[in-house]
Amino acid sequence: MKIVMVNDCAHVGETLIKYLPEEFKVLHLKRSRRFFDKTFRIAWRILRSKGDVYHVHYLLQDCYLTLKFGKRPVIGHAHGSDLRDTLHSRKWGWIIKYNLRNCDKILVAQPTILETAREYNETAEYFPIPYDPKLFYPKPLPKERKIKRIFLASKHDFKIKGTDKFLYALAKVNVPFELKTINYGKDAQKAQMLARKLGLKAKFINKVPHEKMNELYWEADLVLGSFGVGQLDTVAIEAMACGRPVIHGIKKRFFPNCPLIDIESADYKITDKLNNLLNSKKARENQVSMQLEYIRQHDASLLAKKLSETYLEFMSN
């Protein structure tokens, strides 16, 4: 069975491909954000491709082109901002709506957008973000050290990721620490300025390949994800899989069993959580234990099996 996978988001596609059964042959049409690559080149590659099922990540132009070229069946995979924000855009909203209505199947990477997807397509279902268990697996917590190491893993986007909230909270922490974060995102420069203003000992590093992210998680005593829109992001999932305590804001009503902070709760305090985990190894161990129990459902080897069953459904129809 030949699958044509178009585009990707947060390495979800390439992670799943690694664990699909051998009977599935996948042509992965990736692209960059350069104008020619994301327009004429990807259009030509989609047009020339031949497959039994088309699986398209992100419900924008790639999905629209796949449908317009008459490729069938098409699985549209929404990842968050396409349904949360772009759907309501005057410029691009019509494309999202067209794709939602015309795809043969819709997968959503966040339960927070499932209801929206089902307003346009009743086939929509939640498909959790996978992590690669060969790359992201637990290692023992670092030995106790006077100066703790904190890794802020999300890109710096104050509105969506809320990384500024972490910087303000870190300024009130009562434990000596060193902060490492990636110099990435539309607010990266603002984040650097804010860190200096708050007197934080912060190191902004260049982006690393996805397969090297595990090393950044393992060297940390504590990993910070995001604190913006309340969805469960890839960095939080991978950090939990690496056996590191994670502080990341979710909407608990969508993730009832997830042992992370509920941003809709009136009693959450980021600084209190930071101080507790940094001061107590026992608290870190307990947090890791709960996280590892929860994270099993995001294992790519299990999710690839679920995805293969979805592919096969189209062959039996």
Side-chain angles (χ1 to χ4, degrees):
M1 184 176 188
K2 186 174 181 181
I3 310 299
V4 177
M5 191 173 288
V6 185
N7 203 2
D8 208 341
C9 182
H11 307 282
V12 168
E14 65 181 35
T15 298
L16 290 167
I17 289 171
K18 288 175 63 175
Y19 293 92
L20 283 173
E22 292 183 0
E23 65 193 85
F24 296 93
K25 307 302 179 185
V26 183
L27 172 63
H28 197 180
L29 305 181
K30 294 184 184 181
R31 64 166 177 80
S32 69
R33 293 188 178 184
R34 294 177 181 175
F35 177 77
F36 183 81
D37 200 39
K38 71 178 183 179
T39 53
F40 301 108
R41 185 168 182 267
I42 192 65
W44 178 246
R45 295 177 73 195
I46 294 171
L47 180 62
R48 294 191 63 187
S49 66
K50 293 181 180 181
D52 297 303
V53 176
Y54 287 77
H55 183 165
V56 189
H57 294 272
Y58 224 70
L59 302 187
L60 268 170
Q61 69 268 28
D62 302 333
C63 190
Y64 181 78
L65 288 169
T66 303
L67 290 167
K68 282 297 183 180
F69 289 150
K71 306 296 184 179
R72 290 290 181 176
V74 178
I75 299 173
H77 201 146
H79 286 271
S81 61
D82 42 0
L83 298 194
R84 190 183 60 246
D85 302 317
T86 314
L87 176 67
H88 308 291
S89 162
R90 288 184 178 180
K91 185 176 182 180
W92 301 111
W94 66 273
I95 290 182
I96 303 289
K97 293 171 185 175
Y98 177 89
N99 294 337
L100 281 170
R101 292 188 178 110
N102 289 279
C103 280
D104 300 283
K105 176 75 177 177
I106 296 291
L107 301 177
V108 299
Q110 299 289 343
T112 54
I113 56 174
L114 179 58
E115 185 177 340
T116 299
R118 283 182 174 166
E119 290 177 11
Y120 297 88
N121 193 318
E122 62 182 13
T123 71
E125 68 173 282
Y126 170 50
F127 190 90
I129 293 173
Y131 73 88
D132 186 342
K134 293 181 181 178
L135 286 177
F136 304 98
Y137 52 88
K139 284 189 175 183
L141 287 167
K143 293 181 179 179
E144 282 295 283
R145 46 196 171 196
K146 291 182 179 180
I147 300 178
K148 296 295 190 290
R149 296 179 185 176
I150 300 174
F151 177 45
L152 175 49
S154 290
K155 67 179 180 180
H156 292 284
D157 183 326
F158 291 171
K159 179 182 178 181
I160 304 300
K161 302 299 182 181
T163 50
D164 56 326
K165 295 183 178 69
F166 278 125
L167 296 177
Y168 281 114
L170 286 166
K172 302 174 184 177
V173 165
N174 59 22
V175 179
F177 68 89
E178 296 174 345
L179 174 67
K180 183 178 287 187
T181 186
I182 299 175
N183 189 26
Y184 172 59
K186 70 182 187 69
D187 291 321
Q189 189 172 0
K190 290 181 180 178
Q192 290 190 48
M193 294 172 62
L194 180 58
R196 285 196 295 267
K197 178 182 176 182
L198 295 171
L200 298 175
K201 188 176 182 180
K203 183 178 181 181
F204 285 75
I205 63 173
N206 294 328
K207 286 182 67 177
V208 302
H210 182 238
E211 61 270 17
K212 294 291 185 180
M213 285 292 290
N214 51 12
E215 297 175 9
L216 294 172
Y217 297 134
W218 286 325
E219 72 179 21
D221 295 286
L222 176 64
V223 176
L224 309 180
S226 67
F227 223 86
V229 296
Q231 65 183 26
L232 186 55
D233 294 344
T234 299
V235 293
I237 292 167
E238 292 175 346
M240 286 194 284
C242 281
R244 292 298 173 266
V246 175
I247 297 181
H248 176 95
I250 57 167
K251 293 180 178 179
K252 206 77 166 183
R253 56 196 170 100
F254 293 106
F255 304 95
N257 300 316
C258 186
L260 298 177
I261 293 178
D262 182 1
I263 65 170
E264 294 181 320
S265 172
D267 61 359
Y268 79 77
K269 292 181 180 178
I270 308 176
T271 304
D272 289 348
K273 187 71 172 178
L274 285 164
N275 280 322
N276 182 45
L277 289 174
L278 291 172
N279 276 304
S280 170
K281 185 177 181 180
K282 186 66 176 178
R284 295 195 294 277
E285 290 173 342
N286 289 339
Q287 182 71 22
V288 167
S289 177
M290 291 187 293
Q291 291 173 178
L292 290 176
E293 179 68 26
Y294 173 80
I295 208 66
R296 293 174 183 172
Q297 62 190 295
H298 291 270
D299 187 318
S301 62
L302 300 177
L303 289 172
K305 181 180 179 181
K306 179 181 178 182
L307 182 62
S308 67
E309 292 170 354
T310 300
Y311 290 157
L312 288 170
E313 286 176 6
F314 288 107
M315 298 303 293
S316 60
N317 293 337

